[in-house]
Amino acid sequence: MKLKQLATFVALATASASIQAADVNVEPGVNTLQTAIDNATEGDTLILSTGVYSTTNTDDYFLIDKSLTIRAAAKDQAPQLVDTITLVTDVVTDHLILQGLTFSGIESGFNIGAFNGSEPKGISNNIQLLENTLAASANINVAPNDGSNMSLTLIGNKQNCISDGNSNSLYLGGVYQNKGINKLVVAGNQFCLSNGFLYIESEGENSELHFVGNYILSQHPGTSSWGVISSDDGFHTTNIASNRIHQEFTWNTRTYEFSDTGQYRIFNMKNIPGLPVVYQNNIFTYDTSRITGTSLPYRFSPIYNIDEAIIVNNVIDLADIEIWQPVTAGDTNQPPMFDGVPTEVSGNLILNYGDTIFTTEQKAFYKNNICFNTLDDCGAEQGNLNSDPEINADYTLQVGSPAIDAGRENLAFSDLDGTRNDIGAYAGSWDISQFDAQRAIDAKGPYIYPLIDAAKSVANGEVKVKFVSYPRLK
């Protein structure tokens, strides 16, 4: 009996080993990757080397029908995919991981789910896009048919900013199917939105958005209905932290002329009532060197919808953009920079803005900010200042700056050195410098990002933190 049991165990173990996931090397060429995908078993890792990979499939799609990891052999390898990754119709996989790949074709990239009214594609419950490089016109479209349990992670990806004249967009959630993503982590990326938007949709209970440590170069002006980065659905937890957002308004050598009725927005994020969107330690900057014409915009809103929002330790530098002002009796100006009634606006540097910043109603929520070279000041109450912040070109504080130890007094928001919170983006536990370092070319350690339960942390004073971490390709 014991021998029979042992024989059965050995047979089962052997069968199990025979179907374990394997590492498979794939050479460059036409259809070599598609053949490897077709022959792979569930959970395999396909390892690509330097060279061009393409397919003759319909619509130039690499078609995936199982859980796979597809990655570069090493950091110094450069596998180029000139066609788009997608999942076979009606397939649902456990995971799909792409790492270290270059999407070099025009409008190549990653297209999952039903996008723009197209035939529904398959979906994966856990998609991870890590350290990939996208051409300027490449797209990432994830439009799940049902995203209630879907997790999407984008970490360490880069998008080139040499525009070929085609538009690019990142649709993280089904803008056309009204289906979103349950857990979305967008961290440590460098994206150039040459002529497009980053659009985000949520789905399911306890949905999360963690948008941390990214560099976003927008060459799109935004519109009066969409921001450059928008969401029509609120997440249960939304943390937008330690990002650098730079807006140029147009790409290549083109110039841009403002509309005299235009409102220009970067973030336009709706919230679930009672659950605030948290904006902390971000730096917003603008380049107006390509602006022409005499028309003046009505409003600039780096953060447009601020209903119940928590806006702390940001830097907003509007680069002296001139805003239309009423010149005739009875004319009324457009509303101020922010729209809505926030929960808190504290510890921010607001610089070089030629229009109203906030309404009388909003002003009650402004504490410990500095407004400098602005048409509207921050007021002299509640710790607000209206003096030169004495900052360096990168917005770090000079010795003797009035912003030092002038931010929020609560010890929970102390700076990393244990002193009182400074004003600006280099303050508190979300000091932007530690996230800039993770995007550095010579960075060698793993990507690591804290994921807070923003709503609960704010509601009861507790700080609940978990982390997401991925090793870099070597």
Side-chain angles (χ1 to χ4, degrees):
M1 183 67 177
K2 290 182 179 179
L3 289 175
K4 186 176 181 180
Q5 288 176 333
L6 178 60
T8 301
F9 172 78
V10 171
L12 290 172
T14 303
S16 176
S18 68
I19 60 173
Q20 283 183 353
D23 289 349
V24 180
N25 292 313
V26 183
E27 295 300 316
V30 179
N31 288 327
T32 56
L33 177 55
Q34 184 62 63
T35 300
I37 292 169
D38 294 342
N39 294 334
T41 59
E42 189 78 11
D44 279 358
T45 297
L46 307 183
I47 301 174
L48 281 55
S49 55
T50 296
V52 176
Y53 294 78
S54 63
T55 178
T56 57
N57 288 339
T58 303
D59 296 328
D60 298 326
Y61 280 149
F62 293 107
L63 297 172
I64 297 176
D65 61 356
K66 55 185 71 77
S67 295
L68 291 174
T69 297
I70 305 176
R71 67 170 177 84
K75 182 179 180 179
D76 60 356
Q77 298 292 298
Q80 296 186 45
L81 279 64
V82 297
D83 298 313
T84 297
I85 291 279
T86 194
L87 284 164
V88 174
T89 300
D90 296 329
V91 164
V92 178
T93 71
D94 176 70
H95 67 267
L96 179 60
I97 302 170
L98 307 179
Q99 186 172 21
L101 310 177
T102 296
F103 292 92
S104 57
I106 295 176
E107 298 185 2
S108 63
F110 186 73
N111 190 355
I112 296 295
F115 177 72
N116 199 12
S118 64
E119 178 187 0
K121 305 296 190 295
I123 197 63
S124 181
N125 292 325
N126 183 358
I127 298 174
Q128 301 172 26
L129 307 180
L130 313 171
E131 298 183 280
N132 301 294
T133 299
L134 290 87
S137 58
N139 298 287
I140 298 177
N141 303 317
V142 180
N145 301 315
D146 180 3
S148 57
N149 294 309
M150 182 181 174
S151 173
L152 173 60
T153 301
L154 289 82
I155 290 182
N157 300 285
K158 297 180 181 179
Q159 185 160 41
N160 295 324
C161 211
I162 302 173
S163 180
D164 51 20
N166 293 281
S167 64
N168 69 329
S169 294
L170 309 178
Y171 289 103
L172 310 182
V175 60
Y176 295 98
Q177 279 66 41
N178 198 29
K179 295 290 184 180
I181 296 166
N182 184 254
K183 181 179 179 181
L184 177 57
V185 178
V186 182
N189 303 285
Q190 299 181 52
F191 287 135
C192 175
L193 300 176
S194 57
N195 191 28
F197 298 92
L198 196 166
Y199 188 84
I200 300 167
E201 289 269 13
S202 67
E203 181 83 5
E205 294 297 323
N206 301 313
S207 58
E208 303 175 33
L209 169 60
H210 306 275
F211 195 91
V212 181
N214 302 285
Y215 175 79
I216 307 294
L217 172 57
S218 172
Q219 297 178 325
H220 193 286
T223 71
S224 294
S225 56
W226 279 31
V228 173
I229 303 170
S230 295
S231 177
D232 281 342
D233 293 330
F235 287 78
H236 292 78
T237 293
T238 309
N239 185 34
I240 299 172
S242 309
N243 303 285
R244 290 182 181 268
I245 317 290
H246 184 68
Q247 192 168 34
E248 290 184 342
F249 301 102
T250 189
W251 47 271
N252 286 353
T253 57
R254 291 188 175 189
T255 58
Y256 181 79
E257 184 172 357
F258 287 131
S259 165
D260 57 8
T261 59
Q263 300 183 48
Y264 299 89
R265 306 169 181 175
I266 294 182
F267 280 104
N268 187 9
M269 310 289 290
K270 292 187 178 179
N271 72 297
I272 296 173
L275 300 174
V277 177
V278 178
Y279 299 91
Q280 54 187 337
N281 296 81
N282 303 288
I283 295 180
F284 297 87
T285 55
Y286 294 81
D287 178 359
T288 60
S289 61
R290 297 175 186 171
I291 303 300
T292 62
T294 58
S295 296
L296 299 179
Y298 270 13
R299 172 162 62 176
F300 264 85
S301 295
I303 304 168
Y304 174 64
N305 175 26
I306 66 167
D307 273 332
E308 301 186 274
I310 296 170
I311 303 172
V312 293
N313 288 117
N314 300 282
V315 173
I316 300 173
D317 186 348
L318 277 297
D320 292 315
I321 295 172
E322 189 176 359
I323 309 296
W324 175 86
Q325 298 296 319
V327 294
T328 304
D331 281 353
T332 57
N333 200 358
Q334 282 293 107
M337 179 191 297
F338 301 119
D339 187 76
V341 179
T343 296
E344 179 184 359
V345 180
S346 298
N348 303 285
L349 284 176
I350 303 175
L351 310 171
N352 306 314
Y353 186 56
D355 198 17
T356 304
I357 297 173
F358 45 72
T359 65
T360 302
E361 183 181 15
Q362 292 171 345
K363 192 172 182 179
F365 300 92
Y366 279 65
K367 300 177 181 179
N368 304 104
N369 303 283
I370 290 181
C371 295
F372 181 67
N373 194 32
T374 56
L375 179 69
D376 197 9
D377 64 31
C378 284
E381 305 82 16
Q382 303 186 102
N384 293 306
L385 301 171
N386 301 288
S387 56
D388 185 344
E390 300 179 29
I391 54 177
N392 299 306
D394 60 357
Y395 302 100
T396 53
L397 305 180
Q398 298 175 5
V399 175
S401 166
I404 295 173
D405 296 339
R408 293 184 290 178
E409 297 184 56
N410 190 323
L411 291 176
F413 304 110
S414 296
D415 293 342
L416 295 177
D417 62 3
T419 60
R420 177 180 165 179
N421 184 264
D422 293 341
I423 294 175
Y426 294 85
S429 58
W430 292 87
D431 180 337
I432 196 171
S433 62
Q434 61 193 318
F435 300 99
D436 287 343
Q438 296 200 52
R439 294 194 313 273
I441 295 175
D442 58 352
K444 293 183 173 59
Y447 295 99
I448 182 167
Y449 295 95
L451 310 178
I452 67 166
D453 187 336
K456 291 182 180 178
S457 297
V458 169
N460 59 23
E462 296 179 359
V463 179
K464 297 185 177 181
V465 182
K466 52 188 175 181
F467 292 87
V468 60
S469 181
Y470 289 91
R472 298 173 191 264
L473 281 175
K474 295 182 179 179

